[in-house]
Amino acid sequence: MTGRTGPAALRSDGRGRAAPLPAALLAALLAAILPALLLTAAGAHAAGRSAADPKPAVTLSGKQAGKGGEITVKGTGWRADTLLMMLVCGQSSPARGVIGGTNSCANADGRAVTTDSKGAFSKKLPVAEPPVPCPCVVHVATVTGDQSVADAVFVVAGHPVAALPKEDGNGKLAVLATTRLEGDSGILTWFGAPPSRRLVLTVGNLGSAAVKDPVFQVGTAHGVYAPQWEERQWRGTVEPGRKARIELPVELTAGAHGDYQVSLKYGTKVLAEQPWGVGRPWGVTLFWILLCLVVPAAVFRIGMAVVDKVRPRSAHAAARPRRRPDRLADVTARLPRLRRTPAPSEGPAPSAGAGSTTAALPWFTPDSAPSEHRPTTKGHS
């Protein structure tokens, strides 16, 4: 019987069965298939794990308390080592969130908390009355990074209660014109004061219902960092088919400089982005330069004064009493001396030699000076 020609892997033995694959070929097939199998299994595991990750949740030690009381807030399912803000908010519900943004919350009595390595936390929160009526919630939200929010129903005893405003989802805002930043920096900004501008834009209501007191989110990003969002509420109503000019304040931190990106978000949609180049506060640099010059000079002067004060003095200088200088004597010593010029008939003025006993005085002439050997005319004819 003539054997069939073909690949060695498909050769059959004498009994009609396929011959076993060589060991080298089997190892090569396993090396090629095994990484794909491992990647598929890892992807499925990660997908299952992300689907099984719990959502942020908040529980309260009590559902009701009066003003001045205290409750314990516990949370699970948050990101690890994340900074959170806890507030008591009115005009809110877990289904609709905080209507009106943080303007409906008791911001002065809020508390900050950081989650542990497992994304959990527990902290006490003082009970305060929000500026708007209940229904109320305990609102917990992340401060930085991706925004995560969780609300728990809470009743502030003795606080007024009012029905939530009707929900009309037909209002839709859109930007109709290019946004711009208005305002300029003052002299204080040159010395490190926080730069501030006004974000001006024109929006139109493309829906069929009016939008009243919309709450926007203004974010500022520097470099590769994510925007830091802050809520800004605009007071007014935009009727269907109408447009409105909106101005929102934007402020950076003290000493900020460089290229910034200002973003505007309404709901979950980013409406506009505007670049902002902030100059360097050169006044601060000038201040530090002057400080580096003045402080060493002052230290040097103080050090020299201390050295002059504590250095030892000589015994003669210490024993000699200090007296005030005679200013009149100094002036007199500097004046030129007046000398009498001799007359031509007179001979040269006698010099005071070593043997002379009488010195010529300025008010006597040499002839009229009294002498012990010269007789007087008194008693002579």
Side-chain angles (χ1 to χ4, degrees):
M1 184 175 180
T2 305
R4 297 178 181 179
T5 60
L10 299 180
R11 289 199 306 264
S12 59
D13 56 7
R15 292 175 291 183
R17 295 179 300 181
L21 294 174
L25 183 59
L26 183 61
L29 291 175
L30 288 176
I33 296 174
L34 188 59
L37 294 176
L38 292 177
L39 290 177
T40 304
H45 178 69
R49 184 178 58 184
S50 60
D53 284 343
K55 293 183 178 180
V58 174
T59 57
L60 307 177
S61 60
K63 297 295 183 181
Q64 180 177 353
K67 179 182 178 181
E70 198 173 50
I71 58 173
T72 301
V73 183
K74 296 182 179 181
T76 56
W78 300 85
R79 296 193 308 271
D81 302 325
T82 303
L83 181 62
L84 307 176
M85 177 60 69
M86 304 187 303
L87 299 169
V88 177
C89 303
Q91 200 174 3
S92 310
S93 67
R96 296 184 57 180
V98 180
I99 301 175
T102 55
N103 292 329
S104 302
C105 305
N107 298 312
D109 297 294
R111 292 293 183 270
V113 62
T114 304
T115 59
D116 56 16
S117 59
K118 298 181 180 179
F121 70 89
S122 177
K123 191 175 182 64
K124 292 184 178 181
L125 176 67
V127 179
E129 293 184 348
V132 293
C134 285
C136 300
V137 298
V138 173
H139 179 73
V140 182
T142 56
V143 178
T144 58
D146 296 336
Q147 190 173 16
S148 300
V149 178
D151 298 325
V153 178
F154 183 69
V155 178
V156 180
H159 193 64
V161 179
L164 295 177
K166 294 182 179 181
E167 184 177 8
D168 47 356
N170 296 325
K172 184 179 180 181
L173 296 180
V175 178
L176 302 180
T178 305
T179 58
R180 62 185 184 276
L181 292 171
E182 293 184 353
D184 52 0
S185 300
I187 188 64
L188 295 180
T189 306
W190 201 67
F191 286 95
S196 60
R197 292 290 189 275
R198 296 189 310 274
L199 182 63
V200 181
L201 69 156
T202 302
V203 299
N205 188 357
L206 306 181
S208 58
V211 178
K212 182 179 180 181
D213 297 339
V215 178
F216 298 92
Q217 289 184 345
V218 178
T220 55
H222 180 53
V224 297
Y225 296 98
Q228 302 292 329
W229 298 99
E230 295 182 1
E231 293 181 347
R232 296 286 187 269
Q233 186 174 20
W234 181 74
R235 298 291 182 179
T237 303
V238 184
E239 300 293 340
R242 298 295 182 89
K243 62 181 181 179
R245 185 175 185 268
I246 295 178
E247 296 184 4
L248 300 174
V250 183
E251 184 174 338
L252 302 178
T253 57
H257 63 277
D259 296 329
Y260 284 81
Q261 185 80 10
V262 181
S263 305
L264 179 68
K265 184 167 64 174
Y266 179 67
T268 58
K269 181 181 179 182
V270 178
L271 299 181
E273 292 181 348
Q274 180 70 25
W276 183 9
V278 183
R280 182 180 294 272
W282 292 108
V284 179
T285 306
L286 180 61
F287 169 78
W288 285 111
I289 292 175
L290 294 178
L291 189 64
C292 293
L293 295 177
V294 172
V295 170
V299 172
F300 176 76
R301 294 287 299 273
I302 294 174
M304 294 301 296
V306 172
V307 170
D308 184 67
K309 190 74 174 178
V310 301
R311 68 178 178 179
R313 299 180 180 275
S314 61
H316 179 70
R320 184 175 55 189
R322 298 182 62 184
R323 59 181 180 180
R324 298 179 61 183
D326 191 354
R327 297 183 179 179
L328 184 59
D330 294 343
V331 174
T332 306
R334 288 195 294 267
L335 290 177
R337 295 181 177 274
L338 298 178
R339 296 183 178 180
R340 179 177 177 275
T341 304
S345 59
E346 298 176 355
S351 58
S356 62
T357 59
T358 305
L361 297 179
W363 55 84
F364 289 106
T365 61
D367 297 335
S368 61
S371 176
E372 56 182 357
H373 301 290
R374 184 177 181 180
T376 60
T377 57
K378 185 176 181 182
H380 294 277
S381 56

mmCIF file of all heavy atoms in Angstrom, residues 45-62:
data_model
loop_
_atom_site.group_PDB
_atom_site.id
_atom_site.type_symbol
_atom_site.label_atom_id
_atom_site.label_comp_id
_atom_site.label_asym_id
_atom_site.label_seq_id
_atom_site.Cartn_x
_atom_site.Cartn_y
_atom_site.Cartn_z
ATOM 1 N N HIS A 45 -11.798 39.305 33.678
ATOM 2 C CA HIS A 45 -11.749 39.505 35.127
ATOM 3 C C HIS A 45 -11.880 40.977 35.497
ATOM 4 O O HIS A 45 -12.588 41.342 36.439
ATOM 5 C CB HIS A 45 -10.449 38.938 35.672
ATOM 6 C CG HIS A 45 -10.284 39.150 37.155
ATOM 7 N ND1 HIS A 45 -11.062 38.498 38.089
ATOM 8 C CD2 HIS A 45 -9.434 39.962 37.844
ATOM 9 C CE1 HIS A 45 -10.702 38.883 39.299
ATOM 10 N NE2 HIS A 45 -9.712 39.773 39.174
ATOM 11 N N ALA A 46 -11.187 41.852 34.730
ATOM 12 C CA ALA A 46 -11.269 43.290 35.011
ATOM 13 C C ALA A 46 -12.664 43.817 34.746
ATOM 14 O O ALA A 46 -13.184 44.652 35.504
ATOM 15 C CB ALA A 46 -10.256 44.046 34.146
ATOM 16 N N ALA A 47 -13.287 43.343 33.665
ATOM 17 C CA ALA A 47 -14.655 43.784 33.380
ATOM 18 C C ALA A 47 -15.610 43.341 34.469
ATOM 19 O O ALA A 47 -16.482 44.088 34.915
ATOM 20 C CB ALA A 47 -15.097 43.245 32.025
ATOM 21 N N GLY A 48 -15.432 42.090 34.927
ATOM 22 C CA GLY A 48 -16.299 41.625 36.002
ATOM 23 C C GLY A 48 -16.068 42.368 37.290
ATOM 24 O O GLY A 48 -16.993 42.676 38.030
ATOM 25 N N ARG A 49 -14.792 42.701 37.555
ATOM 26 C CA ARG A 49 -14.490 43.435 38.786
ATOM 27 C C ARG A 49 -15.048 44.846 38.736
ATOM 28 O O ARG A 49 -15.582 45.358 39.718
ATOM 29 C CB ARG A 49 -12.982 43.472 38.993
ATOM 30 C CG ARG A 49 -12.558 44.121 40.296
ATOM 31 C CD ARG A 49 -11.062 44.083 40.442
ATOM 32 N NE ARG A 49 -10.431 44.750 39.316
ATOM 33 C CZ ARG A 49 -9.112 44.790 39.145
ATOM 34 N NH1 ARG A 49 -8.306 44.184 39.997
ATOM 35 N NH2 ARG A 49 -8.603 45.419 38.089
ATOM 36 N N SER A 50 -14.914 45.563 37.573
ATOM 37 C CA SER A 50 -15.456 46.916 37.469
ATOM 38 C C SER A 50 -16.968 46.902 37.564
ATOM 39 O O SER A 50 -17.581 47.826 38.111
ATOM 40 C CB SER A 50 -15.016 47.551 36.152
ATOM 41 O OG SER A 50 -15.499 46.780 35.055
ATOM 42 N N ALA A 51 -17.590 45.864 37.014
ATOM 43 C CA ALA A 51 -19.046 45.784 37.129
ATOM 44 C C ALA A 51 -19.472 45.503 38.552
ATOM 45 O O ALA A 51 -20.561 45.890 38.979
ATOM 46 C CB ALA A 51 -19.578 44.701 36.191
ATOM 47 N N ALA A 52 -18.587 44.816 39.306
ATOM 48 C CA ALA A 52 -18.944 44.484 40.682
ATOM 49 C C ALA A 52 -18.569 45.577 41.666
ATOM 50 O O ALA A 52 -18.910 45.470 42.841
ATOM 51 C CB ALA A 52 -18.260 43.175 41.087
ATOM 52 N N ASP A 53 -17.817 46.610 41.229
ATOM 53 C CA ASP A 53 -17.446 47.693 42.143
ATOM 54 C C ASP A 53 -18.689 48.402 42.650
ATOM 55 O O ASP A 53 -19.552 48.811 41.868
ATOM 56 C CB ASP A 53 -16.543 48.704 41.434
ATOM 57 C CG ASP A 53 -15.120 48.182 41.290
ATOM 58 O OD1 ASP A 53 -14.787 47.214 42.001
ATOM 59 O OD2 ASP A 53 -14.362 48.722 40.460
ATOM 60 N N PRO A 54 -18.794 48.615 43.971
ATOM 61 C CA PRO A 54 -19.997 49.274 44.493
ATOM 62 C C PRO A 54 -19.992 50.762 44.205
ATOM 63 O O PRO A 54 -18.943 51.395 44.087
ATOM 64 C CB PRO A 54 -19.911 48.994 45.998
ATOM 65 C CG PRO A 54 -18.442 48.814 46.260
ATOM 66 C CD PRO A 54 -17.868 48.193 45.023
ATOM 67 N N LYS A 55 -21.157 51.334 44.099
ATOM 68 C CA LYS A 55 -21.286 52.769 43.895
ATOM 69 C C LYS A 55 -21.155 53.485 45.233
ATOM 70 O O LYS A 55 -21.426 52.904 46.289
ATOM 71 C CB LYS A 55 -22.635 53.084 43.259
ATOM 72 C CG LYS A 55 -22.780 52.559 41.841
ATOM 73 C CD LYS A 55 -24.122 52.968 41.253
ATOM 74 C CE LYS A 55 -24.252 52.478 39.809
ATOM 75 N NZ LYS A 55 -25.567 52.864 39.223
ATOM 76 N N PRO A 56 -20.736 54.757 45.220
ATOM 77 C CA PRO A 56 -20.649 55.492 46.484
ATOM 78 C C PRO A 56 -22.000 55.537 47.201
ATOM 79 O O PRO A 56 -23.035 55.815 46.584
ATOM 80 C CB PRO A 56 -20.192 56.886 46.046
ATOM 81 C CG PRO A 56 -19.510 56.671 44.736
ATOM 82 C CD PRO A 56 -20.243 55.550 44.074
ATOM 83 N N ALA A 57 -21.967 55.248 48.473
ATOM 84 C CA ALA A 57 -23.191 55.220 49.277
ATOM 85 C C ALA A 57 -22.934 55.910 50.604
ATOM 86 O O ALA A 57 -21.804 55.966 51.086
ATOM 87 C CB ALA A 57 -23.658 53.786 49.503
ATOM 88 N N VAL A 58 -24.014 56.445 51.191
ATOM 89 C CA VAL A 58 -23.944 57.177 52.456
ATOM 90 C C VAL A 58 -25.049 56.672 53.365
ATOM 91 O O VAL A 58 -26.208 56.514 52.932
ATOM 92 C CB VAL A 58 -24.092 58.694 52.238
ATOM 93 C CG1 VAL A 58 -24.157 59.420 53.564
ATOM 94 C CG2 VAL A 58 -22.928 59.231 51.430
ATOM 95 N N THR A 59 -24.715 56.424 54.618
ATOM 96 C CA THR A 59 -25.694 56.043 55.640
ATOM 97 C C THR A 59 -25.557 56.986 56.829
ATOM 98 O O THR A 59 -24.457 57.482 57.119
ATOM 99 C CB THR A 59 -25.487 54.598 56.099
ATOM 100 O OG1 THR A 59 -24.149 54.439 56.598
ATOM 101 C CG2 THR A 59 -25.700 53.622 54.935
ATOM 102 N N LEU A 60 -26.687 57.198 57.518
ATOM 103 C CA LEU A 60 -26.733 58.131 58.639
ATOM 104 C C LEU A 60 -27.072 57.385 59.919
ATOM 105 O O LEU A 60 -27.806 56.380 59.900
ATOM 106 C CB LEU A 60 -27.765 59.238 58.388
ATOM 107 C CG LEU A 60 -27.633 60.000 57.063
ATOM 108 C CD1 LEU A 60 -28.772 61.006 56.935
ATOM 109 C CD2 LEU A 60 -26.287 60.685 56.960
ATOM 110 N N SER A 61 -26.558 57.906 61.039
ATOM 111 C CA SER A 61 -26.877 57.303 62.334
ATOM 112 C C SER A 61 -28.298 57.616 62.765
ATOM 113 O O SER A 61 -28.848 56.927 63.623
ATOM 114 C CB SER A 61 -25.887 57.799 63.391
ATOM 115 O OG SER A 61 -25.966 59.218 63.513
ATOM 116 N N GLY A 62 -28.910 58.634 62.190
ATOM 117 C CA GLY A 62 -30.302 58.973 62.492
ATOM 118 C C GLY A 62 -30.932 59.674 61.321
ATOM 119 O O GLY A 62 -30.258 60.365 60.552
#
